[in-house]
Amino acid sequence: MFCARRTSGFSAKPAWTLVAAALAAALLSSCGDEKPKEPPPTYGQEPGVESGAQALVSFLEEVKRDFAEDVSSIGADGWLGELARTGALEAHRELLLEKAETNRLDVLCVLSADGQTTLIRATNPMEEGGTELWDTTGQCEAGICVDMRALITRALTQDETITAFELYPEELMKLEALTEPRRDFLLSAQDGPDTDQPIGRTLADAAAVRRTNPRPGQAPMETRGLVLLDVRPMHAVDGEIEGVLVCAWLLSRNHRLLDAFHQQAFMDSSLFVETTRVATTTVLKDLTVPVGDQVPSDLYDEVVVSGEAYFSRVNFGYGLLDAKCTSIVDGTGRTIGFSMVEQAADPGAPPAAPPPEVGGEEE
């Protein structure tokens, strides 16, 4: 699921695979022409934020699908549901922790059959079970956050798996231990790309981002973590639901995810929690990473209003950028942030603009 910083691959299939297939078909169809047309560029070669933004959206969707597949393998064949039914989860704690580490999970916990009690939190062997997830209902001290109760209820009542980008509150992340191997995949806020500075002891320490330019009345830190979250019913071998499996992967300050996209598309990109940048491939001349920068609130408002994508010219203090921002929505449909693809803008040129819409039949 992870890759080394711009040195190795990513398990997700390249976002431009379909483009390559279309290219091959185009070349075959032009064999009889005297002057074959030039093949269209791939996402990795085509300039402009439009193609880059499309590639990033496809990439993130593929990452989400791969994540769901990884989680589905954990409770396959009903063995985990049987452990919950027989009360044998604690006796298999080491096995569950091994499953979490194998799949590079920051959160792995099992809830009771009614979803209201945490039976075991494998990613922190020292933490006792409780009702924290059930008590999380979409709002925390820092603002909107994951509505765990709604997702758990939906998973149980509809026998449905929900995999979505979510904002995990600080209170829940403090319950998760940050093991030594996981530190290597997370970047300390505003440190260099290869920092040796320890992050901390809990997932909350790893996720917190210091805002470089907080607005009046705004907290100095963004304490919510952007995560990929998977909530699914846990079946026993006879098909009965015996609990809920909750797994999460932290994306805040996780530079290796976007580095994998950079290897494919050769463009810088960032992830934002509302207006605050929490992950990026951008490295400044002094080798700092501009995590914590903020976009103007009116730009974020435009992203929320548009519901999909918004073009803008942005100045973070290191040069004018042409950027396309695409909203990130959570499992209940709320916009919680956005992804951004950027490229340096010519100061004398107008902002990048989207291509004209192509008409077509509605589905």
Side-chain angles (χ1 to χ4, degrees):
M1 182 176 290
F2 295 89
C3 71
R5 185 171 180 79
R6 299 186 187 174
T7 58
S8 62
F10 192 77
S11 63
K13 302 176 184 66
W16 32 256
T17 302
L18 295 179
V19 176
L23 170 59
L27 290 175
L28 288 174
S29 65
S30 64
C31 290
D33 298 339
E34 292 182 3
K35 294 181 179 180
K37 296 180 180 179
E38 289 293 323
T42 66
Y43 282 138
Q45 298 167 331
E46 185 178 357
V49 294
E50 169 64 22
S51 61
Q54 291 175 357
L56 181 56
V57 170
S58 297
F59 175 82
L60 292 175
E61 284 302 307
E62 184 126 16
V63 168
K64 185 163 70 172
R65 288 192 296 270
D66 287 349
F67 177 72
E69 289 179 6
D70 289 342
V71 176
S72 69
S73 67
I74 295 175
D77 302 325
W79 70 273
L80 194 54
E82 289 296 325
L83 293 183
R85 172 184 285 177
T86 60
L89 285 169
E90 188 62 39
H92 293 79
R93 179 183 287 274
E94 290 187 6
L95 176 60
L96 290 175
L97 181 57
E98 180 183 336
K99 293 281 187 181
E101 292 176 347
T102 299
N103 290 283
R104 310 288 184 139
L105 300 175
D106 296 300
V107 175
L108 191 163
C109 58
V110 177
L111 309 184
S112 57
D114 62 4
Q116 298 186 26
T117 305
T118 301
L119 300 179
I120 191 169
R121 186 174 281 106
T123 36
N124 189 350
M126 302 303 294
E127 185 65 36
E128 298 293 333
T131 61
E132 293 86 1
L133 270 69
W134 181 255
D135 292 337
T136 305
T137 55
Q139 194 74 24
C140 63
E141 186 175 346
I144 63 170
C145 65
V146 58
D147 191 340
M148 286 299 308
R149 184 177 297 185
L151 298 183
I152 293 168
T153 301
R154 181 171 143 199
L156 288 172
T157 58
Q158 301 183 29
D159 197 1
E160 178 184 358
T161 294
I162 304 105
T163 306
F165 297 99
E166 298 284 352
L167 296 183
Y168 221 57
E170 180 182 19
E171 300 79 49
L172 294 184
M173 291 189 293
K174 283 183 176 180
L175 303 177
E176 304 296 342
L178 186 63
T179 60
E180 195 62 35
R182 297 295 300 120
R183 298 172 194 265
D184 297 337
F185 292 94
L186 298 170
L187 177 65
S188 288
Q190 301 167 328
D191 287 332
D194 298 310
T195 180
D196 292 327
Q197 178 179 332
I199 292 177
R201 300 182 61 184
T202 72
L203 199 60
D205 297 319
V209 169
R210 184 174 298 280
R211 295 185 171 104
T212 57
N213 51 346
R215 294 185 295 276
Q218 191 175 37
M221 301 285 290
E222 174 55 77
T223 58
R224 296 166 296 179
L226 180 65
V227 301
L228 252 179
L229 181 73
D230 188 280
V231 180
R232 63 181 60 215
M234 203 168 55
H235 300 88
V237 292
D238 60 2
E240 290 295 318
I241 296 176
E242 295 295 338
V244 180
L245 178 63
V246 176
C247 297
W249 178 33
L250 181 65
L251 304 184
S252 293
R253 286 165 55 181
N254 187 335
H255 59 277
R256 281 172 169 78
L257 171 66
L258 294 182
D259 275 350
F261 171 73
H262 190 281
Q263 292 179 41
Q264 295 183 6
F266 308 106
M267 294 191 72
D268 281 318
S269 60
S270 300
L271 299 176
F272 287 77
V273 167
E274 294 187 338
T275 61
T276 303
R277 176 153 45 189
V278 297
T280 186
T281 56
T282 299
V283 180
L284 304 184
K285 292 180 179 180
D286 61 0
L287 298 183
T288 59
V289 178
V291 171
D293 280 355
Q294 292 193 85
V295 296
S297 57
D298 57 349
L299 187 154
Y300 179 68
D301 291 342
E302 290 288 350
V303 175
V304 174
V305 170
S306 70
E308 293 182 0
Y310 182 74
F311 284 82
S312 179
R313 172 157 287 182
V314 186
N315 189 348
F316 286 107
Y318 55 83
L320 288 174
L321 305 173
D322 282 331
K324 183 174 182 181
C325 308
T326 306
S327 60
I328 297 175
V329 298
D330 66 8
T332 59
R334 297 177 301 180
T335 298
I336 58 174
F338 60 91
S339 62
M340 184 181 80
V341 170
E342 63 186 59
Q343 67 177 13
D346 180 355
E357 294 185 1
V358 178
E361 296 182 0
E362 295 183 0
E363 295 184 0

